[in-house]
Amino acid sequence: MRLLPKALLAVVVAVPSAVAAVTVERIEYAGWPNCYRVSNGEVELVVTADVGPRIIRYGYVGGQNLFVELEEDLGRTGDENWRLYGGSRLWVAPEDAVYSYGADNDPVEIEVSARGLSAQAPVEKGTGVQKRIEVELSDEGTQARVRYVLANRTIWPLRIATWVLTMMNRGGIGITTLPPRGTHPEVLAPTNPLIVFAFTNMSDPRWTWMEKYVALRQDPANSDPEKIGLFNPRTRGAYLLNGELFVKRFEAEAGEEYPDMGSSFEAFTNERFLELETLGPMRVLRPGESMDHLEIWSLHRPVQVERWDDSGLDRAIGPYLE
C-alpha cells in the first residue's frame, strides 16, 4: 500500500469511449438511468454513476451476474440512510457506525480511460473521507484490475484501513486459502491468525474446514450470520456459482498491523448474500493524503468441484488462485 498525492476531481464524461478491444458505454441498468458498462466482448462490469462508487455487475457477456443485486435498493438514490445495493464497495476499517456506514446514495464523477474508468464519490459529510474506484479491464480474457482509493479531506489525521466488500449472488460457495502448511516439530511457530466473531459458529454445516482451504456455503434458507477472518500474505477469495468461478486476489503485507486482530481477508454470509472481503493495513492518513488497495479479478468456466477436500479443490480451482 502506498500513499498518493491529493487527487484532482474527475471530469464527468457522458459519452461512450472505445479504445483497443475494451469499450465503455453509458447505459441504464437496474433502474438507474446512468451506469457505465465496461466490456471486452467476453466479460463486462457495470459501475453505477447515480450512486456509489459501486461495481454492481461482473459476469460473462449475456451470462449471470456473480454479484448480488438487492431488489429493494435497485434504482434508488438520495437521502442519508445507508443501503446495501449489492455489488462491490469500499469501506473504512475497523468497522465503525460512522466511518464505515457512510451512505453512498449520491451521484459519482465518472472519468473514462483507455480500458475502463474511475468513479469518485463526493466527500462524505460525516467523515471527510472521499472514495474512488478505478476499473481497468484486459483487452482479452476476463482479468480486471480494480483499485480502491481512500482520501482524507479533513484537516486532521485519520488512522484507518481500506476494506473492500464484494457481495456475491445467492446459492454459491465461497472459498479462501490458508498460508502454506508445515509439519511438527519442524515448524513450531504459528503461521497466521484465524479470527472468529461473537456470532461465529464453527459447527455450522455451511462451513467446510480443510488443511489448505476454508469453504463457506451461501444458503438462502439459513438466516444465521456467519463470519471469520484470517491473514494470508497471498490473500485469495473465490466464489463458485453455477459452474462459474469468481476469483479476487490481493497481496497483503507481512509484518503490518491489520484490522480485526490481523485480518487481510474476511468472509461473511447470511440468507441474502455472501461477502468476500479484503482489508489493507492500518495507516495514519494525513490531511490531503490518499491510500490505495488493488484487487485482481478473474472469471473462469466451466468449473466443477468433484470432491470438497484439498485435493479436489487443488484440481478444480488451484491454478486460478496463483
Side-chain angles (χ1 to χ4, degrees):
M1 175 147 329
R2 65 182 187 276
L3 298 182
L4 305 173
K6 184 176 180 179
L8 296 175
L9 289 179
V11 177
V12 175
V13 176
V15 297
S17 172
V19 178
V22 176
T23 60
V24 183
E25 58 180 332
R26 190 173 68 178
I27 64 171
E28 180 179 354
Y29 186 85
W32 289 294
N34 299 293
C35 292
Y36 283 77
R37 176 181 180 266
V38 182
S39 179
N40 62 7
E42 182 175 357
V43 296
E44 61 185 6
L45 301 96
V46 176
V47 179
T48 58
D50 295 305
V51 296
R54 292 269 175 154
I55 303 173
I56 195 66
R57 171 177 168 81
Y58 181 43
Y60 288 97
V61 172
Q64 65 179 346
N65 187 3
L66 274 292
F67 297 167
V68 74
E69 300 174 7
L70 297 174
E71 293 80 4
E72 71 274 15
D73 293 333
L74 299 181
R76 299 187 64 186
T77 63
D79 79 43
E80 300 299 318
N81 296 318
W82 183 77
R83 302 191 189 106
L84 280 167
Y85 291 120
S88 191
R89 69 185 188 273
L90 173 61
W91 261 14
V92 173
E95 190 161 2
D96 179 85
V98 175
Y99 277 88
S100 300
Y101 287 83
D104 53 353
N105 302 333
D106 296 320
V108 301
E109 293 181 324
I110 300 292
E111 183 176 10
V112 174
S113 58
R115 291 179 175 83
L117 57 78
S118 68
Q120 181 165 266
V123 177
E124 290 181 358
K125 296 177 183 178
T127 67
V129 171
Q130 189 170 35
K131 299 172 181 176
R132 187 168 77 251
I133 297 179
E134 302 169 359
V135 174
E136 181 180 288
L137 184 60
S138 298
D139 288 344
E140 298 179 349
T142 68
Q143 182 171 291
R145 294 169 58 87
V146 186
R147 189 180 304 275
Y148 300 82
V149 182
L150 287 178
N152 180 2
R153 303 301 187 211
T154 73
I155 58 173
W156 51 80
L158 297 175
R159 189 170 183 272
I160 56 177
T162 51
W163 186 7
V164 175
L165 304 95
T166 304
M167 305 170 66
M168 310 308 301
N169 214 336
R170 302 175 182 93
I173 300 177
I175 306 158
T176 191
T177 58
L178 298 170
R181 303 292 85 194
T183 58
H184 185 279
E186 289 76 18
V187 181
L188 294 176
T191 57
N192 69 283
L194 179 64
I195 294 93
V196 296
F197 293 76
F199 52 87
T200 304
N201 177 4
M202 299 177 77
S203 67
D204 189 298
R206 289 171 289 179
W207 292 110
T208 301
W209 303 94
M210 292 160 272
E211 182 180 6
K212 295 170 57 178
Y213 299 93
V214 180
L216 176 60
R217 180 170 55 89
Q218 199 288 322
D219 182 356
N222 191 335
S223 62
D224 292 338
E226 283 295 333
K227 186 173 185 177
I228 62 161
L230 57 86
F231 180 82
N232 189 344
R234 300 176 68 249
T235 298
R236 302 292 185 264
Y239 194 73
L240 182 62
L241 180 67
N242 301 323
E244 297 180 355
L245 183 74
F246 165 77
V247 175
K248 60 189 292 186
R249 294 179 284 150
F250 170 66
E251 303 304 319
E253 302 177 40
E256 297 284 351
E257 179 189 359
Y258 280 75
D260 295 348
M261 299 183 178
S263 295
S264 67
F265 175 85
E266 294 177 348
F268 171 87
T269 195
N270 57 20
E271 79 281 12
R272 306 190 68 200
F273 53 84
L274 185 143
E275 285 181 332
L276 302 175
E277 310 171 8
T278 61
L279 301 96
M282 298 294 299
R283 289 283 188 264
V284 175
L285 203 60
R286 294 177 175 82
E289 288 184 333
S290 299
M291 57 184 177
D292 69 347
H293 181 119
L294 177 65
E295 291 185 339
I296 307 297
W297 293 0
S298 59
L299 292 177
H300 310 273
R301 67 178 183 185
V303 176
Q304 299 295 331
V305 178
E306 296 181 359
R307 294 176 52 186
W308 284 92
D309 57 19
D310 288 303
S311 61
L313 288 178
D314 277 344
R315 289 191 296 271
I317 73 169
Y320 304 132
L321 303 181
E322 297 301 324

